[in-house]
Amino acid sequence: MAHIDNLISAIKDPELREAIRAEYAKISKHRQLGLVFDRHQPESVILPEVTVRVGDKVQVRIEGSDDPREVDGTGVWLVRSIDKAQGRALLSDNEGTRIEVALDRVVATREFGDPIYPGLRSTGRVIRGGGRDGDPGAKPFHAVINAENHHALEALLYPYEGTIDAIYIDPPYNSGARDWKYNNNYIDEKDPYRHSKWLSFMDRRLRLAKRLLNPANSVLICAIDENELHRLSLLIEQIFPASKIQMVTVLINPSGASIIDQFARMDEHLLFVHVGAARPAKTVIDTTPGVSTLSDSEGNQKPFVWESFQRRGGNSRRQDTKVKFFPVYIDEVAGKVVGCGDALPEGVDRHTAPPAPDGCIAQWPIKRDGSEACWQLSDVTFRKYLEEGRIRIGNKNKTTGRWGLYFLTSGHMAAIERGELIVEGRDDKGSLIVKNADGRRRSQVGRTLWTNPAYNATSHGSIMLNALLPGRKFPFPKSLYAVEDALRFYVGDKPDAVVLDFFGGSGTTAHAVARLNDQDGGHRRSIIVTNNEVSPSEATALRKQGFKPGDDEWEAMGICKYITIPRITAAITGINSAGKPINGEYKFTKVSPMAEGFAENVEFFDLTYEDPALISLGRRFEAIAPLLWLKAGAVGGRIDEIDSEIGWSAPDDANYAVLYDVSKASAMIESLAKRDEQAQEVTHVFVVTDSNAEFQQVASRLDPSLSVSQLYSDYLRTFELNTRRFG
């Protein structure tokens, strides 16, 4: 770059020189630095359940195959015409090549970036937290969505854009095993582009995730191992340039997992991406037992200890501060601190400072090697703390002749406010008497190395999953408590938080959110997105039995239906997949029988791809009804049908209203004002109109506390806008 600048400067013609310099500045301004990878375009998803129409993008199924997902690899084609009588379709590609194939070999395809028209179809519910008959005290519903996660994220933009409090994901690790797909094909270690494909795969999803996160205060948590750790870190830095990113290492397998020709793996990593003001809160959990100043390796709380008043470690030299080098006056006979002198400017010899008061000595901050250090506070703050009893004197060291000096930090005072520490008056030296509160644990800052036995993925992942789903296998499930504690740092103080996991796997994240609610009575809710892929080994076994994708027997063995839904159902009900009470108990933070389950509600959905020709609001409202319900908080009843005669709907068991006919706004507003006290409190109103002016007019007449959203008469526009803004 410097060489190019020199060459430009050597151009003699001043106008040409400045013109070239200006153009080069434009180019260099947009040059990509940092992580560079081949952005494989595009990803696509095969949709055998969607009816093919003229103008659709499609792929061609291998001739003779009964699996609609087995395509011939010729790429994506555009349907030019369909001859239903002959059962033929005319296709063309981007280069103008045309082919004619049997219509039953043509499979609908959506490339990422194309507008999609999503809906949700309920496939079942579990209700244990109220929710029947619009119970006003009911908990909100968790949601589990069976879908390709990129399109699920696009669909979730409508109800949740900019509102998600935490995203926890455990993406495929790209270890070389055939455990993830790109464009419907498994990626293995022989693929020379597997790293760039993985980055392309993650890049698209993380950019959507960023739009879903609350920009003011939220967190993205990514679990990852060493195979893609550093690439993922760089990718996240590019997508979240304003965010602080911190890595934590978690001990998940103390015995180590054997890897050929490598060290045995004992750990994995968590990347915490702090969006806006998000920061890890202090919690009562101990991520690294045995090193905490608050508790021992057995988890027993240690006696309260005051903070040393002399600064140690970094920035502890006199020259590192301007106002924290001063003498503390000590009455040695009384063994009491009586005050301090003024801070001494740098360069002034401390021996020239005014003498200590009669009967007192002056103790300066001096290191063991005789060099000058500094205190933790300024002289002004010290005097204030001394008056408040927040300064304490210890014993005199017989070797050095120096007294121990200690103080209460702002963190200590916050712990007193929280009731974790108690003050029992003052001692004879005037210092506060502080002790641990009975029955309370002190909160502390988490560390970057997590070694708590709770995070063992075998004991609290695989073995726990077997208790929930006897006989069913899932590779490498996370420890429930590792996910729970990772979330606790960010949503422990947000009882109504919304948590998203779009690599839902076995459903550990939903289980962890239910546990958090169980511990403090919270109403947090999770949204879990997972697909219903069948593993390669299971696919082989099913084919030998004569089954193919789409058959009930095949779909029943997919991740969502065989693992995710049954696991979450078992966790909430306390009944395992074999129909028996779950053996064992939850440990750590709160001990309780697993058979008790949780007072939670959850609903299961399939993502649907709606036909643009049939999607006028009056004909397919039921497809978008769950999305409106989710946006309104996923609590109480759902408005699944249109009452076109009345022009609006606001049943007593729903916490939202839908206005279909703006001319009936007055009637709806009057009805809401007279709503029965036993009914759900209305928090959201959806106004169906293509006119922004009409929407604003209705919104201005509604209670300002209500959340008011516009829904276009043809809801295609509502979701098409989201899709086209992607990227």
Side-chain angles (χ1 to χ4, degrees):
M1 184 172 179
H3 182 58
I4 294 176
D5 287 336
N6 291 336
L7 290 175
I8 293 175
S9 297
I11 297 173
K12 293 183 178 180
D13 186 327
E15 291 186 4
L16 177 61
R17 182 173 62 245
E18 292 309 312
I20 293 177
R21 179 171 285 137
E23 290 304 312
Y24 176 67
K26 292 178 184 178
I27 296 172
S28 59
K29 180 180 180 181
H30 297 290
R31 185 177 65 170
Q32 183 178 8
L33 299 175
L35 183 66
V36 179
F37 59 94
D38 292 326
R39 296 178 183 272
H40 294 265
Q41 294 281 2
E43 277 185 82
S44 61
V45 61
I46 294 172
L47 304 172
E49 69 277 12
V50 172
T51 301
V52 174
R53 298 176 182 276
V54 173
D56 280 356
K57 291 181 179 179
V58 297
Q59 294 186 67
V60 179
R61 179 165 51 85
I62 294 174
E63 188 169 9
S65 172
D66 58 2
D67 183 349
R69 293 178 176 82
E70 284 190 345
V71 293
D72 62 9
T74 57
V76 177
W77 300 82
L78 191 68
V79 179
R80 290 293 181 182
S81 64
I82 294 176
D83 186 339
K84 290 186 178 180
Q86 298 296 319
R88 308 290 291 178
L90 179 64
L91 314 179
S92 69
D93 63 12
N94 291 333
E95 297 178 356
T97 302
R98 298 195 173 202
I99 60 172
E100 187 178 299
V101 298
L103 184 58
D104 61 5
R105 290 180 57 202
V106 175
V107 188
T109 297
R110 296 290 184 270
E111 292 185 299
F112 292 0
D114 291 342
I116 62 166
Y117 313 114
L120 292 177
R121 179 177 62 245
S122 177
T123 60
R125 282 182 159 193
V126 176
I127 299 176
R128 291 198 76 214
R132 290 185 175 86
D133 300 321
D135 175 12
K139 282 191 171 183
F141 280 73
H142 302 266
V144 178
I145 302 173
N146 172 24
E148 195 293 316
N149 61 7
H150 183 279
H151 283 165
L153 289 172
E154 288 186 313
L156 290 172
L157 286 171
Y158 178 70
Y160 291 119
E161 184 163 12
T163 66
I164 297 293
D165 297 289
I167 294 178
Y168 181 101
I169 56 172
D170 179 20
Y173 285 0
N174 205 16
S175 60
R178 289 167 56 85
D179 56 6
W180 72 285
K181 287 184 173 182
Y182 190 90
N183 267 348
N184 310 303
N185 295 313
Y186 281 107
I187 304 300
D188 59 31
E189 60 184 357
K190 296 179 181 179
D191 190 328
Y193 295 103
R194 67 186 178 95
H195 292 296
S196 60
K197 286 181 178 178
W198 190 87
L199 287 169
S200 297
F201 171 85
M202 291 300 298
D203 179 76
R204 297 186 185 101
R205 289 154 179 81
L206 289 175
R207 291 186 185 279
L208 287 168
K210 181 179 181 181
R211 289 174 57 185
L212 286 162
L213 287 165
N214 181 345
N217 188 328
S218 60
V219 66
L220 167 67
I221 307 171
C222 300
I224 197 73
D225 75 356
E226 75 274 12
N227 287 288
E228 296 292 355
L229 169 64
H230 304 296
R231 296 181 186 87
L232 180 60
S233 297
L234 289 170
L235 179 63
I236 289 174
E237 285 182 359
Q238 292 183 179
I239 297 174
F240 296 86
S243 294
K244 173 69 177 177
I245 304 168
Q246 189 168 22
M247 186 189 81
V248 162
T249 298
V250 186
L251 178 64
I252 62 169
N253 186 353
S255 60
S258 297
I259 306 175
I260 298 175
D261 299 329
Q262 297 183 53
F263 294 111
R265 182 185 294 117
M266 302 173 66
D267 59 1
E268 70 172 10
H269 311 286
L270 293 175
L271 293 175
F272 291 89
V273 184
H274 298 141
V275 178
R279 298 293 182 270
K282 288 185 176 181
T283 72
V284 297
I285 62 172
D286 189 355
T287 57
T288 316
V291 302
S292 171
T293 59
L294 306 185
S295 57
D296 60 26
S297 58
E298 301 298 322
N300 300 313
Q301 191 156 228
K302 295 178 180 179
F304 171 70
V305 177
W306 290 57
E307 183 77 10
S308 173
F309 185 54
Q310 184 168 316
R311 184 181 290 275
R312 298 168 181 168
N315 297 321
S316 63
R317 303 171 301 170
R318 176 183 178 181
Q319 57 266 39
D320 293 329
T321 181
K322 295 181 179 180
V323 293
K324 296 180 181 179
F325 186 75
F326 55 87
V328 172
Y329 299 141
I330 301 172
D331 182 337
E332 291 198 295
V333 175
K336 181 178 181 180
V337 177
V338 298
C340 72
D342 294 334
L344 207 62
E346 186 179 356
V348 177
D349 190 336
R350 71 176 186 273
H351 297 99
T352 65
D358 291 343
C360 296
I361 64 162
Q363 182 163 306
W364 296 83
I366 305 298
K367 296 187 177 184
R368 289 182 178 274
D369 62 5
S371 61
E372 294 178 331
C374 61
W375 302 120
Q376 299 266 25
L377 307 171
S378 68
D379 54 342
V380 174
T381 305
F382 176 86
R383 294 186 183 99
K384 177 176 178 289
Y385 278 30
L386 182 62
E387 182 179 347
E388 294 172 349
R390 293 173 63 179
I391 303 295
R392 179 176 175 271
I393 189 169
N395 297 321
K396 185 176 182 179
N397 188 300
K398 294 180 180 179
T399 302
T400 64
R402 294 175 60 79
W403 291 81
L405 293 174
Y406 309 93
F407 78 115
L408 292 176
T409 66
S410 57
H412 293 149
M413 302 308 291
I416 291 172
E417 288 290 326
R418 292 192 297 268
E420 298 170 358
L421 296 174
I422 58 173
V423 176
E424 295 184 334
R426 297 197 182 207
D427 62 19
D428 58 356
K429 307 296 192 327
S431 302
L432 296 176
I433 301 173
V434 181
K435 297 175 61 177
N436 291 323
D438 291 337
R440 292 290 301 272
R441 296 188 62 82
R442 284 183 57 200
S443 55
Q444 57 187 320
V445 176
R447 289 169 169 76
T448 57
L449 177 62
W450 292 12
T451 59
N452 194 310
Y455 310 141
N456 187 309
T458 299
S459 302
H460 309 302
S462 300
I463 293 176
M464 179 180 289
L465 188 62
N466 188 59
L468 297 162
L469 308 177
R472 302 189 186 190
K473 302 295 184 183
F474 182 81
F476 313 116
K478 290 285 177 286
S479 162
L480 169 67
Y481 309 114
V483 178
E484 177 186 319
D485 285 351
L487 291 171
R488 190 192 313 277
F489 283 110
Y490 299 91
V491 300
D493 58 353
K494 296 178 179 179
D496 298 308
V498 180
V499 178
L500 169 65
D501 183 347
F502 53 89
F503 288 100
S506 70
T508 308
T509 301
H511 198 164
V513 172
R515 267 267 297 179
L516 289 172
N517 285 341
D518 187 54
Q519 291 159 23
D520 64 6
H523 286 65
R524 301 171 190 85
R525 50 196 166 106
S526 63
I527 304 160
I528 307 300
V529 179
T530 188
N531 60 37
N532 202 43
E533 287 284 349
V534 172
S535 70
S537 60
E538 288 170 337
T540 300
L542 287 165
R543 288 187 190 283
K544 287 182 178 179
Q545 298 175 57
F547 300 122
K548 63 182 183 300
D551 292 343
D552 291 343
E553 293 83 356
W554 182 289
E555 298 303 318
M557 295 301 294
I559 293 172
C560 184
K561 294 185 178 180
Y562 190 62
I563 299 293
T564 317
I565 291 176
R567 187 258 176 87
I568 295 172
T569 299
I572 292 176
T573 63
I575 305 297
N576 68 23
S577 60
K580 298 180 180 180
I582 302 170
N583 290 323
E585 62 181 16
Y586 294 111
K587 303 177 180 179
F588 314 104
T589 310
K590 180 180 179 180
V591 177
S592 62
M594 296 178 70
E596 286 185 354
F598 300 104
E600 299 288 327
N601 302 318
V602 60
E603 185 159 5
F604 310 109
F605 298 98
D606 285 343
L607 183 76
T608 61
Y609 295 84
E610 297 302 323
D611 188 335
L614 302 175
I615 205 66
S616 65
L617 185 66
R619 297 181 64 185
R620 287 291 294 156
F621 179 78
E622 68 272 16
I624 68 164
L627 290 167
L628 305 187
W629 178 70
L630 289 172
K631 187 177 180 67
V635 64
R638 184 162 61 234
I639 302 172
D640 288 319
E641 296 180 354
I642 293 175
D643 190 338
S644 55
E645 292 184 5
I646 297 177
W648 54 274
S649 290
D652 285 350
D653 67 345
N655 72 325
Y656 64 102
V658 180
L659 177 65
Y660 316 116
D661 182 349
V662 292
S663 70
K664 304 297 177 62
S666 296
M668 184 193 72
I669 294 170
E670 183 179 349
S671 177
L672 293 179
K674 297 177 179 179
R675 196 172 176 88
D676 192 289
E677 292 183 358
Q678 299 302 313
Q680 286 276 4
E681 180 183 358
V682 172
T683 59
H684 290 68
V685 174
F686 297 92
V687 180
V688 180
T689 177
D690 289 332
S691 168
N692 289 330
E694 284 185 340
F695 170 73
Q696 294 297 336
Q697 185 178 28
V698 173
S700 67
R701 298 175 60 194
L702 290 166
D703 188 318
S705 66
L706 294 175
S707 174
V708 186
S709 303
Q710 183 174 2
L711 189 64
Y712 291 99
S713 296
D714 180 348
Y715 104 90
L716 295 180
R717 290 180 58 194
T718 303
F719 296 97
E720 204 170 294
L721 291 174
N722 277 330
T723 318
R724 293 194 184 281
R725 285 192 292 134
F726 169 60

